[in-house]
């Protein structure tokens, strides 16, 4: 696979990661489709292994969705900007501090944005709990699954 094709697959994956944060965009399907495109073009055992792992993880995420609270961003009381900030920080955090950084970045950025908006630490933590109940857990689980797939793809490309 050429470098330009790898860049294109990476951009499609990034689009899918951002799509997880936006309602109505099938971000998870976009990330999986990018891995499928790469595996069908690369045809190595590592590529097929990542595709199989990604498929299993995405199916597990779909099975867990009914167990998580539904997304209701309007009920959280936080502006959409706060939720997007948390999502972007989760994506960046995942790659800066692998795996753990995704969760820390997501929750930390929501807390930071709410602390700036509300002015006190107690009110910010209350808002973070409200955001996590209304949308956070569902978004965080889906984003984390997609980040694991993107990380596995990146690892396979760099070391495989």
């Amino acid at each position: 696979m050429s470098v330009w094709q790898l860049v294109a697959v990476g951009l499609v994956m990034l689009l899918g990661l951002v799509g997880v944060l936006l309602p109505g965009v099938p971000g998870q399907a976009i990330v999986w489709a990018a891995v499928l495109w790469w595996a069908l073009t690369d045809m190595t055992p590592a590529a097929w292994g990542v595709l199989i792992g990604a498929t299993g993880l995405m199916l597990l995420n779909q099975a867990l969705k009914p167990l998580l609270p539904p997304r209701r961003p309007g009920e959280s009381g936080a502006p959409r900007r706060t939720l997007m900030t948390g999502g972007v920080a989760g994506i960046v955090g995942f790659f800066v501090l692998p795996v753990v950084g995704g969760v820390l970045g997501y929750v930390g950025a929501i807390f930071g944005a709410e602390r700036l908006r509300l002015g006190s630490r107690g009110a910010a933590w209350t808002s973070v709990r409200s955001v996590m109940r209304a949308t956070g857990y569902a978004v965080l689980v889906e984003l984390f699954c997609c980040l694991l797939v993107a990380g596995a793809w990146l690892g396979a490309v760099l070391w495989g």
Side-chain angles (χ1 to χ4, degrees), residues 84-112:
M84 287 301 292
T85 301
V88 170
I91 293 169
V92 171
F94 182 84
F95 291 104
V96 171
L97 183 66
V99 183
V100 178
V103 176
L104 294 176
Y106 184 77
V107 175
I110 290 173
F111 173 76

Side-chain angles (χ1 to χ4, degrees), residues 2-26:
S2 74
V3 173
W4 292 110
Q5 285 179 315
L6 287 174
V7 169
V9 169
L11 289 174
V12 170
M13 259 189 222
L14 183 61
L15 176 70
L17 290 172
V18 172
V20 168
L21 306 174
L22 301 172
V25 178

Side-chain angles (χ1 to χ4, degrees), residues 1 3 5-11 13-14 17 31 34-35 38-39 42 46-47 49-51 54 91-99 145-160:
M1 185 171 231
V3 173
Q5 285 179 315
L6 287 174
V7 169
V9 169
L11 289 174
M13 259 189 222
L14 183 61
L17 290 172
V31 170
V35 172
W38 171 67
D42 205 12
V50 170
L51 178 64
I91 293 169
V92 171
F94 182 84
F95 291 104
V96 171
L97 183 66
V99 183
C145 285
C146 289
L147 283 170
L148 285 175
V149 169
W153 170 79
L154 187 61
V157 167
L158 293 177
W159 292 291

